[in-house]
Amino acid sequence: RRYAAYDKHDLYRDYPKFRNCYTMCAKTRMLDTHTPHWGDSGKCMAMGTTGMTMPLQMMLRGYRVYGTPEVAREVWFSNGKKLDGIAGDIYDAEPQELLERVEGELNQQPGPFVSHNAGGYGQAALEAPSRKHPRGIAMYYGRTGGHGHEDRLAIDLLSNNVLMTPDMGYPLYTGHWPKRIGWTSHVISHNTCMVNDKGQDRSSFSGKTKLFADAGPVRVADVDGGKVYPDVSTYRRCLVMVDVDDVNSYLLDLFWVRGGTNHRLIQNGGGPEVETTGLTLTAQEGGTYAGKDVEFGEFYDGPSNWDYDGTGFMYLKDVEKSGPAERFAVDWKMLETWRTMPQDWEAHLRVHNLSPVDEVALCTGVPPEYKGAPERLRYMLRTRYGSGLNTQFVSVLEPYATEPFITSVRSLGTLSSDSDFGAAVEVVLADGRRDVILIRENEGKLEAGGLEMDGRVGFCRFEADRPVAQVLIEGTALRAGEVELRLPASAVRGKLAGWDDGNVENTLLKLDTALPESTLAGEYIIFDNAERSDASYLIESVVDAHTVGIGSNSLVERFVDENDYGKGFIYTIAEGDSFIIPLSASWERQE
């Protein structure tokens, strides 16, 4: 509590960034129910109802100080999404008044889910709007040291009330526990890409956002993973989420890697068994993915301590392999290990592969043996070999309940060079509609499937070869027959002229470029900054032609000297940093 008679020091007043301690949990959640288990957190496939929360009494103290709807909502989450039992304390003249204030803040019904990017934390979450049929995917690009894992650019897909691409969560034992070192914390157990059969460099502080946007039935997150591997110039993942209807969505998953001699895209699913199409697999007799003579858990390529920098392959068993392949699919039937769903519940994840690989392997991994965790999960590893590799892994992820909603998926062409990747993909839906998605690493022209684009991301949905919906993101033109979407510019670009953080409720960014008359509130401004953290911020308001507000977000990165606060702060962005605000447009045929 504050003591009004003493005003020399005030934690809340003197350190405005402290305010975000009371709202930070919201930035880690997906779909208001789940905080992904990045690093040493949670248990494999475990889901709650609130995601990460802070202690209730702490949140009540924060609400007394700040009194905002955002903090009131976190009070509600901390109390298990209910208001029963919330009251003031013996020092309040009217203890019930606090509950009445919180109730007043929460009086309105929540709106549709909205995708959000937490740059300081390092998590991009794409969420379909439906609250009746929640579904979304998160990609992690934050810290990997300490209690973190080698999980840069890993994904966590939540659909049909189950975690479909589960992280391992907290290790069974900490310290120099061999399985923690060679499996649970190692890149090999995570849904990301391994390069040169090594673990990721944990000293890399954060990835950086390249694109984050939401328009119509399409939303996209494109993140550069940073320097997690030496001699690798590109380590980047782009996710495009497309809504089919109010119930279903699919994802186009592109992983771009330049450099190295082998690239392994690691993919698991929330179940121990899979069905495949388009693959001819041969079972290996005994052993592990490290070889038929290497036993499960046997450290064959390094010490079983924190100096280990090997493959982790000895923790993958029941190995089946295929030679070169390109167009195939793997379907996981999900487990519901925590037994909270009805008896007839069923869910699947089908992964459609659309890019050439030199080897496909299916293996079994064993999560930490906590009560309720799955006993085993099936993994797929797709590998490319070569010298100075440029790899674009192209996949479509189809989460469904009992019947697939996709009839076919095919590649309509790709781009792959030292400076640009790109892909064109056709998805035919079970009801006969046909989607075409065009995407490029850098803005430019691309044409396929009856669709022409000048931009980064283009989408068109056809019914009987007639366009019925289009989306253009960071582009100037998208055309299908006589239907054309145009934007006067693909993005607002410029440099940071300065900022004003005097109002803790709304940090203002001063830009050297005049802003368009169209509203930018709800879009993201993305800086090309030199500091270690990502610098992408949601624009909450447009103040004038050169000023945007980013709400209570703090620009403070850290102290200049943590032993001498008087030396001030280092900031995440600096005057002169370049920025981009991607623009988008969507169209839907009205009958």
Side-chain angles (χ1 to χ4, degrees):
R1 281 181 175 274
R2 283 168 152 167
Y3 178 49
Y6 180 82
D7 62 3
K8 184 177 180 181
H9 300 97
D10 187 325
L11 180 66
Y12 304 101
R13 179 197 66 202
D14 299 340
Y15 300 98
K17 190 172 183 176
F18 192 68
R19 170 197 178 109
N20 290 335
C21 292
Y22 295 95
T23 56
M24 61 171 285
C25 292
K27 297 180 179 181
T28 72
R29 289 191 200 102
M30 292 174 62
L31 305 167
D32 282 354
T33 58
H34 173 63
T35 296
H37 303 319
W38 314 125
D40 290 347
S41 67
K43 295 179 175 62
C44 185
M45 293 191 74
M47 281 182 57
T49 59
T50 64
M52 186 169 75
T53 60
M54 293 296 181
L56 176 60
Q57 291 305 314
M58 171 183 165
M59 298 313 302
L60 288 172
R61 285 197 297 272
Y63 184 69
R64 283 190 178 95
V65 173
Y66 300 112
T68 65
E70 294 81 9
V71 180
R73 195 163 186 266
E74 290 306 303
V75 170
W76 179 68
F77 271 98
S78 293
N79 200 45
K81 290 185 175 178
K82 61 183 187 297
L83 295 176
D84 299 345
I86 294 178
D89 57 34
I90 60 174
Y91 299 104
D92 290 322
E94 298 291 340
Q96 284 301 111
E97 182 185 356
L98 186 67
L99 174 60
E100 293 170 1
R101 288 172 56 199
V102 172
E103 282 183 319
E105 302 280 15
L106 300 173
N107 212 12
Q108 58 186 11
Q109 289 294 319
F113 289 121
V114 177
S115 299
H116 52 97
N117 187 28
Y121 176 56
Q123 177 178 287
L126 302 178
E127 301 183 4
S130 173
R131 285 189 173 269
K132 186 177 180 181
H133 303 284
R135 56 201 188 273
I137 190 168
M139 174 166 49
Y140 184 67
Y141 58 94
R143 262 63 72 210
T144 59
H147 278 278
H149 291 178
E150 295 171 4
D151 54 4
R152 183 69 55 80
L153 301 190
I155 57 173
D156 191 3
L157 173 61
L158 195 164
S159 184
N160 293 279
N161 298 301
V162 68
L163 298 176
M164 292 195 161
T165 57
D167 198 283
M168 295 297 99
Y170 208 88
L172 189 63
Y173 301 105
T174 56
H176 290 266
W177 176 242
K179 189 178 177 183
R180 179 193 188 192
I181 293 165
W183 173 250
T184 312
S185 299
H186 196 281
V187 67
I188 191 61
S189 69
H190 295 86
N191 286 284
T192 185
C193 187
M194 171 189 269
V195 178
N196 294 343
D197 288 343
K198 298 288 186 181
Q200 294 178 348
D201 182 351
R202 293 191 177 203
S203 66
S204 174
F205 191 80
S206 177
K208 299 290 183 75
T209 301
K210 293 298 184 181
L211 175 62
F212 192 85
D214 189 331
V218 176
R219 51 206 68 91
V220 57
D222 177 2
V223 178
D224 184 334
K227 296 297 292 183
V228 291
Y229 284 105
D231 303 321
V232 170
S233 59
T234 302
Y235 189 81
R236 184 166 162 179
R237 192 168 206 164
C238 182
L239 299 172
V240 182
M241 184 177 187
V242 179
D243 295 338
V244 171
D245 48 35
D246 191 50
V247 178
N248 295 304
S249 303
Y250 64 84
L251 293 120
L252 175 59
D253 179 13
L254 304 170
F255 211 121
W256 299 321
V257 187
R258 292 186 180 92
T261 57
N262 68 61
H263 303 157
R264 299 186 192 271
L265 185 61
I266 304 162
Q267 173 80 59
N268 73 8
E273 306 294 341
V274 299
E275 293 185 359
T276 67
T277 56
L279 283 177
T280 302
L281 294 160
T282 301
Q284 176 180 292
E285 294 185 8
T288 59
Y289 191 52
K292 63 181 181 180
D293 298 322
V294 179
E295 295 300 316
F296 186 78
E298 177 188 345
F299 277 72
Y300 72 103
D301 58 350
S304 59
N305 57 40
W306 287 116
D307 292 329
Y308 182 68
D309 192 30
T311 65
F313 291 169
M314 63 282 186
Y315 282 105
L316 289 169
K317 59 183 181 178
D318 305 328
V319 180
E320 297 177 274
K321 290 183 181 179
S322 165
E326 182 169 355
R327 192 175 176 186
F328 60 89
V330 178
D331 190 315
W332 282 262
K333 185 176 182 180
M334 299 292 112
L335 286 177
E336 207 287 292
T337 59
W338 298 88
R339 301 176 183 86
T340 59
M341 299 303 295
Q343 190 70 28
D344 60 350
W345 174 87
E346 185 176 328
H348 294 253
L349 172 62
R350 184 163 60 159
V351 176
H352 305 262
N353 183 82
L354 297 176
S355 53
V357 294
D358 297 313
E359 178 189 272
V360 182
L362 297 179
C363 313
T364 294
V366 179
E369 295 87 346
Y370 287 106
K371 182 180 179 180
E375 293 181 1
R376 54 195 175 92
L377 296 173
R378 201 66 170 155
Y379 276 74
M380 171 173 63
L381 283 79
R382 288 168 279 177
T383 304
R384 292 197 68 233
Y385 299 104
S387 177
L389 279 175
N390 285 354
T391 296
Q392 176 177 229
F393 290 106
V394 182
S395 314
V396 171
L397 279 60
E398 177 192 6
Y400 68 94
T402 57
E403 295 294 332
F405 56 84
I406 291 177
T407 299
S408 67
V409 178
R410 66 179 178 129
S411 171
L412 300 176
T414 59
L415 298 173
S416 181
S417 71
D418 291 339
S419 60
D420 204 8
F421 285 118
V425 173
E426 178 188 78
V427 178
V428 179
L429 304 174
D431 61 8
R433 292 177 296 170
R434 179 173 67 94
D435 292 351
V436 175
I437 307 167
L438 307 180
I439 186 163
R440 292 185 60 136
E441 182 184 9
N442 302 299
E443 187 180 331
K445 296 182 183 298
L446 194 59
E447 179 180 353
L451 189 63
E452 303 172 48
M453 176 188 72
D454 191 348
R456 284 281 323 272
V457 180
F459 165 83
C460 186
R461 177 162 288 159
F462 297 87
E463 285 187 10
D465 292 328
R466 186 177 72 151
V468 294
Q470 286 187 336
V471 173
L472 175 63
I473 296 174
E474 197 184 325
T476 55
L478 184 71
R479 182 174 180 177
E482 297 180 356
V483 178
E484 186 171 19
L485 266 183
R486 281 197 169 273
L487 285 168
S490 61
V492 180
R493 292 178 171 87
K495 295 184 182 297
L496 180 68
W499 68 83
D500 180 355
D501 57 1
N503 179 2
V504 68
E505 295 187 4
N506 194 19
T507 298
L508 303 180
L509 303 180
K510 309 287 187 177
L511 311 176
D512 72 347
T513 302
L515 302 174
E517 293 183 1
S518 60
T519 179
L520 294 176
E523 306 295 340
Y524 278 78
I525 182 169
I526 302 167
F527 286 93
D528 183 10
N529 64 323
E531 258 304 321
R532 60 186 187 174
S533 291
D534 177 76
S536 58
Y537 305 99
L538 176 69
I539 298 173
E540 297 190 10
S541 61
V542 177
V543 178
D544 58 43
H546 288 271
T547 309
V548 297
I550 58 170
S552 62
N553 284 290
S554 171
L555 301 179
V556 173
E557 177 75 19
R558 60 190 184 278
F559 288 109
V560 172
D561 184 347
E562 62 183 19
N563 296 313
D564 185 354
Y565 295 171
K567 291 182 179 179
F569 305 112
I570 292 173
Y571 292 88
T572 302
I573 54 178
E575 290 185 20
D577 281 351
S578 299
F579 73 84
I580 179 173
I581 306 172
L583 301 179
S584 60
S586 63
W587 167 85
E588 185 175 358
R589 185 178 294 278
Q590 303 296 323
E591 298 296 346

